[in-house]
Amino acid sequence: MSIAETPEPPYTAVIFTSTRTPGDNGYTQMLQRMEDLAAEQPGYLGIESVKDGLSGITVSYWRDESDAAAWKQVAEHLVAQQRGQQVWYDDYRVRVATVGRDYGRG
Amino acid sequence: MSIAETPEPPYTAVIFTSTRTPGDNGYTQMLQRMEDLAAEQPGYLGIESVKDGLSGITVSYWRDESDAAAWKQVAEHLVAQQRGQQVWYDDYRVRVATVGRDYGRG
């Protein structure tokens, strides 16, 4: 993982935390496709994702909340979300947040 | 990892993404201590953390931004932050965000 090079705040962070069901069931392929597709959307700023076994945290960054909301409604993404709820995720939570300040070495 | 049981928004999320230097150098022990210590602070709501090799994302949740800021200034945490900058982290970024809405199965 490389740390996303986001601009000066404010911007929007979508924090997606999940625990998966066992087995791949097409998950890995869909995940890569979704990461590629997200990167093409208006207002996309970057993504950070770490998985350990069945646990995962993915944070995607967006110019503003309306860009994040538009990505949620992209047709292919809607299909993936539905399959996630039905097959891939045991539990998950999405938190939409406004980053007000940031700091660090990056 | 279990998904944090946070209250109704708004609340504060501190998103900490990092890549570590090789070797443990006391990191694992300090991390456990910091997670225990954070949980004792006023306004602590929960924490989610996933590591994969040298990459990590930890999101801690707080009642508000002043609670998150107070935790940053706890003496033992300041020592850990300094050691993190000097020894443990190759790169890192901290983003302080206000969660405006959340949803999911959790």
Side-chain angles (χ1 to χ4, degrees):
Chain A
M1 182 193 73
S2 58
I3 294 178
E5 294 185 14
T6 42
E8 286 291 299
Y11 51 88
T12 295
V14 179
I15 306 163
F16 178 69
T17 51
S18 62
T19 55
R20 285 196 40 225
T21 55
D24 190 74
N25 303 308
Y27 174 76
T28 301
Q29 185 179 358
M30 177 66 91
L31 186 69
Q32 185 59 56
R33 171 64 185 151
M34 286 304 112
E35 292 192 4
D36 293 347
L37 192 61
E40 296 171 6
Q41 304 306 309
Y44 172 88
L45 299 177
I47 198 165
E48 295 166 336
S49 186
V50 175
K51 273 163 276 302
D52 177 22
L54 297 178
S55 294
I57 302 178
T58 297
V59 189
S60 62
Y61 300 102
W62 302 87
R63 188 172 46 198
D64 57 35
E65 202 169 328
S66 68
D67 289 322
W71 161 235
K72 187 177 189 308
Q73 297 304 322
V74 168
E76 197 175 336
H77 188 201
L78 286 171
V79 173
Q81 288 170 63
Q82 188 174 43
R83 189 152 169 80
Q85 289 176 30
Q86 292 172 346
V87 179
W88 294 318
Y89 296 117
D90 178 49
D91 196 5
Y92 69 93
R93 184 143 287 263
V94 179
R95 296 177 172 97
V96 182
T98 301
V99 178
R101 58 196 179 86
D102 60 9
Y103 57 91
R105 191 168 292 164
Chain B
M1 183 194 73
S2 59
I3 293 178
E5 293 185 14
T6 43
E8 286 291 300
Y11 51 88
T12 295
V14 179
I15 307 163
F16 178 69
T17 51
S18 63
T19 55
R20 285 194 41 224
T21 55
D24 190 74
N25 304 308
Y27 174 77
T28 302
Q29 186 179 358
M30 178 66 91
L31 186 69
Q32 184 60 56
R33 171 65 184 151
M34 287 303 114
E35 291 192 4
D36 293 347
L37 192 60
E40 296 171 6
Q41 304 307 307
Y44 172 88
L45 299 178
I47 198 165
E48 295 165 335
S49 186
V50 176
K51 272 163 275 303
D52 177 22
L54 298 177
S55 294
I57 302 179
T58 297
V59 189
S60 61
Y61 300 103
W62 302 88
R63 190 172 43 197
D64 57 36
E65 202 168 328
S66 68
D67 289 322
W71 162 236
K72 187 177 190 309
Q73 297 303 323
V74 168
E76 197 175 336
H77 188 201
L78 286 171
V79 173
Q81 288 169 63
Q82 188 173 42
R83 189 153 170 79
Q85 289 175 30
Q86 292 171 347
V87 179
W88 294 318
Y89 296 117
D90 178 50
D91 196 5
Y92 70 94
R93 185 144 286 264
V94 179
R95 295 177 172 98
V96 182
T98 302
V99 178
R101 58 196 180 86
D102 60 9
Y103 57 92
R105 190 168 291 163

